[in-house]
Amino acid sequence: YFVIRLYQAALSGQAILQSVCNQESPKTPKAEIREALIKAFGKEGLVNLVNNNRFYLAQTEYEALTVASIEQEKKQGFSTIALPQDPTRILGFHDKVNHRTFLIADNLNPETACAVMLHEVGVHMSADSTLRAKTRKLIDTAVNLYET
């Protein structure tokens, strides 16, 4: 249902990893995605991520990319995020500058939202944390298992 793609940012040459859908966007309401995430991960955990500015659920790609870009400009004086001219059906991404994960409700359904959340937080957010060494070993092992 989805593929991971590297998106080259225009301003700095830095890249962000995005989960991208290769099918038509379902235009799921944000409230429905929020409920699925609460059911899967618990309200307390999700609220904790939101309150600590580690997670943002956007309705549209434009909203998510705009918020991430503005936050980066505030923090470092410029943004590594380029706003696409056409929708690219991004499911989610992790902003390494602000250590914040974004999901896009328009491009998700309740089932894919949970998988994308696990990927963005479990792989990308954890790689930006003190758990990096431990998660790197786990990811390398998973890749090696997949390739054999």
Side-chain angles (χ1 to χ4, degrees):
Y1 178 73
F2 65 92
V3 295
I4 305 301
R5 166 177 100 165
L6 189 63
Y7 180 77
Q8 191 68 30
L11 291 177
S12 69
Q14 291 184 354
I16 62 170
L17 286 175
Q18 303 172 337
S19 299
V20 180
C21 176
N22 57 7
Q23 295 180 355
E24 191 63 34
S25 298
K27 305 289 187 207
T28 308
K30 194 161 59 169
E32 192 175 327
I33 298 300
R34 184 181 304 109
E35 287 305 312
L37 294 172
I38 288 170
K39 183 178 179 183
F41 305 115
K43 186 174 184 176
E44 184 178 334
L46 196 62
V47 167
N48 188 33
L49 286 172
V50 171
N51 288 344
N52 288 299
N53 289 323
R54 296 294 177 244
F55 175 68
Y56 187 95
L57 178 59
Q59 185 62 54
T60 66
E61 287 177 27
Y62 185 79
E63 175 189 351
L65 292 169
T66 300
V67 168
S69 181
I70 289 168
E71 288 177 350
Q72 284 190 3
E73 286 178 17
K74 284 180 184 176
K75 185 170 189 172
Q76 63 187 12
F78 63 94
S79 174
T80 62
I81 297 174
L83 299 178
Q85 296 293 349
D86 298 314
T88 54
R89 295 192 300 272
I90 300 167
L91 302 173
F93 63 93
H94 181 70
D95 174 12
K96 290 178 69 170
V97 173
N98 289 297
H99 309 289
R100 195 173 196 188
T101 291
F102 292 80
L103 294 187
I104 293 90
D106 271 356
N107 299 336
L108 297 165
N109 63 45
E111 295 78 26
T112 57
C114 296
V116 172
M117 181 72 159
L118 278 173
H119 172 80
E120 296 300 335
V121 171
V123 175
H124 300 298
M125 186 182 286
S126 65
D128 288 345
S129 73
T130 56
L131 299 174
R132 183 183 183 127
K134 291 180 181 180
T135 58
R136 184 76 251 158
K137 290 177 188 175
L138 181 63
I139 292 166
D140 289 343
T141 300
V143 169
N144 290 336
L145 289 173
Y146 177 75
E147 291 175 347
T148 58

